[in-house]
Amino acid sequence: MGKTRIEWIDLVRAVAILTVLYIHATDGIYIISSDAIVNYTIYSRIFNFASLFIGRIGVPFFLMITGYLLLDRAYDDERIRKFWNTSCKGLIIVTVIWAVIYVISLQFLTVGSTQVNYAEAGTLFFSHMWYMPMIIGMYLSMPFVASALNHFDVETIYQATIVFTLLAFLLPFVTLVCEMHGIGGLNIQYCQGFSGGIYGIYIILGYLVKKEKFKNVSSSKLWVLATVSFLICVLFQYYAFVINYDFFLWYEFPFILLGSFALFELCSRVKTVRFYSWVTVISKYSFAVFLIHNLFRLPLLPLVVQLPFSEPVKAIVLWILLIVFSFTAATIIYRIPRFGKYILYMR
């Protein structure tokens, strides 16, 4: 949280954490497989498919914020060492601490309800902790990527991003469609190691938004792109269900990329954020809530699934409870002297 605040960045960060909580609430209630989905009503299925798109925009938002804020900087040897010392080292320590916390917490949580999707809800590092090694790797490379970008014109970077996007998103999508229709043995891919993979592309897109590369695209076109991406994600999931293909919507799906990018660019055009005082609070505690929230999700799941409501209502109830408990806990821990800020990585 920098001293100079950018209102729309705070808005995006607030939306991102709320959607992360939302997807984890939904994933806890629903089991994503054709065998399980067949037991839900058509309205419940559509709610689930729509929720997966809504929830999946959170991580792309966080990554594009990272690219927007960190790539348009000048780094030398001293600044690189300072960046690693202040940012990367703290992230690594916090990741280890919270991994230990979750490992210990699992020993005290008893799980007995067959209605809960525990495979998604809680594993050794919990479902959300996959993000930490990924973002740490990105942070370690950030100064070198930023220095390289400074040597090229924005148009060149834009063209390279298009090529990498086609390779990282379109080719796997073609492979997926072929597999869905019985064309096996086709695995079209390329090595994404030095490119940062799909997550690196999200970060580069944030950088290009900072460089105003897309300002000539009208807001109406961006809204169309976001809406079409949402509809395609929902319809594609429903089609996969109809043909009995277990498809799990993830960040390499091209229309998650297009939809989240369009919404991010639209947010960058917001001049004044309504209820900004509330948005600031949510934004301030966003990463702390990300670290904490699964401590509450697992014990709450057996209680929520027993409620006499439909799956969509249960998902909303769980989401609201996660918001209340997680933000309350983050606020309390933050106020512990010489401890709260450190363990929550709040700076």
Side-chain angles (χ1 to χ4, degrees), residues 21-155:
L21 296 183
Y22 183 72
I23 190 63
H24 288 167
T26 305
D27 281 348
I29 300 298
Y30 286 90
I31 299 176
I32 312 301
S33 71
S34 297
D35 293 340
I37 295 175
V38 71
N39 297 317
Y40 304 137
T41 67
I42 184 172
Y43 301 107
S44 186
R45 294 171 197 160
I46 293 174
F47 173 87
N48 182 29
F49 297 148
S51 295
L52 283 170
F53 174 86
I54 295 170
R56 288 285 180 253
I57 68 175
V59 166
F61 273 7
F62 280 130
L63 292 173
M64 285 186 276
I65 289 173
T66 299
Y68 186 96
L69 295 178
L70 297 183
L71 281 183
D72 189 23
R73 294 184 180 183
Y75 293 89
D76 54 23
D77 290 339
E78 181 180 353
R79 289 181 178 177
I80 288 177
R81 285 191 290 268
K82 182 179 179 181
F83 177 75
W84 283 347
N85 187 58
T86 58
S87 297
C88 298
K89 184 175 72 174
L91 272 179
I92 293 172
I93 294 173
V94 165
T95 299
V96 173
I97 290 174
W98 279 94
V100 172
I101 290 173
Y102 279 120
V103 169
I104 295 174
S105 68
L106 281 177
Q107 307 307 313
F108 296 94
L109 293 173
T110 57
V111 293
S113 175
T114 58
Q115 303 177 54
V116 175
N117 181 12
Y118 288 111
E120 168 61 25
T123 57
L124 183 61
F125 284 94
F126 271 52
S127 60
H128 70 308
M129 291 298 284
W130 68 268
Y131 180 85
M132 298 306 296
M134 180 273 292
I135 198 62
I136 289 171
M138 295 295 177
Y139 265 50
L140 289 170
S141 304
M142 199 72 63
F144 302 106
V145 176
S147 298
L149 293 177
N150 286 334
H151 289 84
F152 297 97
D153 184 76
V154 174
E155 183 62 28

Side-chain angles (χ1 to χ4, degrees), residues 27-292:
D27 281 348
I29 300 298
Y30 286 90
I31 299 176
I32 312 301
S33 71
S34 297
D35 293 340
I37 295 175
V38 71
N39 297 317
Y40 304 137
T41 67
I42 184 172
Y43 301 107
S44 186
R45 294 171 197 160
I46 293 174
F47 173 87
N48 182 29
F49 297 148
S51 295
L52 283 170
F53 174 86
I54 295 170
R56 288 285 180 253
I57 68 175
V59 166
F61 273 7
F62 280 130
L63 292 173
M64 285 186 276
I65 289 173
T66 299
Y68 186 96
L69 295 178
L70 297 183
L71 281 183
D72 189 23
R73 294 184 180 183
Y75 293 89
D76 54 23
D77 290 339
E78 181 180 353
R79 289 181 178 177
I80 288 177
R81 285 191 290 268
K82 182 179 179 181
F83 177 75
W84 283 347
N85 187 58
T86 58
S87 297
C88 298
K89 184 175 72 174
L91 272 179
I92 293 172
I93 294 173
V94 165
T95 299
V96 173
I97 290 174
W98 279 94
V100 172
I101 290 173
Y102 279 120
V103 169
I104 295 174
S105 68
L106 281 177
Q107 307 307 313
F108 296 94
L109 293 173
T110 57
V111 293
S113 175
T114 58
Q115 303 177 54
V116 175
N117 181 12
Y118 288 111
E120 168 61 25
T123 57
L124 183 61
F125 284 94
F126 271 52
S127 60
H128 70 308
M129 291 298 284
W130 68 268
Y131 180 85
M132 298 306 296
M134 180 273 292
I135 198 62
I136 289 171
M138 295 295 177
Y139 265 50
L140 289 170
S141 304
M142 199 72 63
F144 302 106
V145 176
S147 298
L149 293 177
N150 286 334
H151 289 84
F152 297 97
D153 184 76
V154 174
E155 183 62 28
T156 302
I157 299 169
Y158 172 68
Q159 293 173 2
T161 302
I162 291 177
V163 174
F164 278 110
T165 301
L166 292 175
L167 292 173
F169 288 85
L170 183 59
L171 296 186
F173 178 69
V174 173
T175 300
L176 171 65
V177 173
C178 291
E179 289 180 353
M180 291 175 65
H181 293 88
I183 305 175
L186 181 64
N187 188 13
I188 307 174
Q189 61 179 352
Y190 82 110
C191 179
Q192 303 177 24
F194 283 103
S195 70
I198 60 172
Y199 305 112
I201 291 172
Y202 284 110
I203 290 176
I204 294 295
L205 283 175
Y207 168 83
L208 290 174
V209 170
K210 177 72 171 290
K211 293 297 185 178
E212 300 186 345
K213 179 59 186 174
F214 309 103
K215 289 302 181 184
N216 61 332
V217 181
S218 67
S219 295
S220 59
K221 290 180 180 178
L222 290 170
W223 277 116
V224 170
L225 178 59
T227 303
V228 170
S229 297
F230 167 75
L231 292 175
I232 290 177
C233 285
V234 173
L235 293 174
F236 192 90
Q237 291 177 91
Y238 206 95
Y239 175 70
F241 161 72
V242 169
I243 65 174
N244 200 34
Y245 182 88
D246 285 337
F247 169 69
F248 187 66
L249 189 67
W250 196 247
Y251 304 106
E252 77 275 7
F253 196 66
F255 295 98
I256 292 293
L257 173 78
L258 294 174
S260 60
F261 156 71
L263 292 172
F264 187 82
E265 172 64 30
L266 284 167
C267 287
S268 73
R269 302 178 183 187
V270 175
K271 303 301 182 183
T272 304
V273 176
R274 294 184 178 181
F275 309 107
Y276 183 59
S277 59
W278 285 94
V279 171
T280 304
V281 173
I282 298 173
S283 177
K284 174 182 177 179
Y285 288 99
S286 60
F287 189 68
V289 167
F290 172 80
L291 293 171
I292 289 173

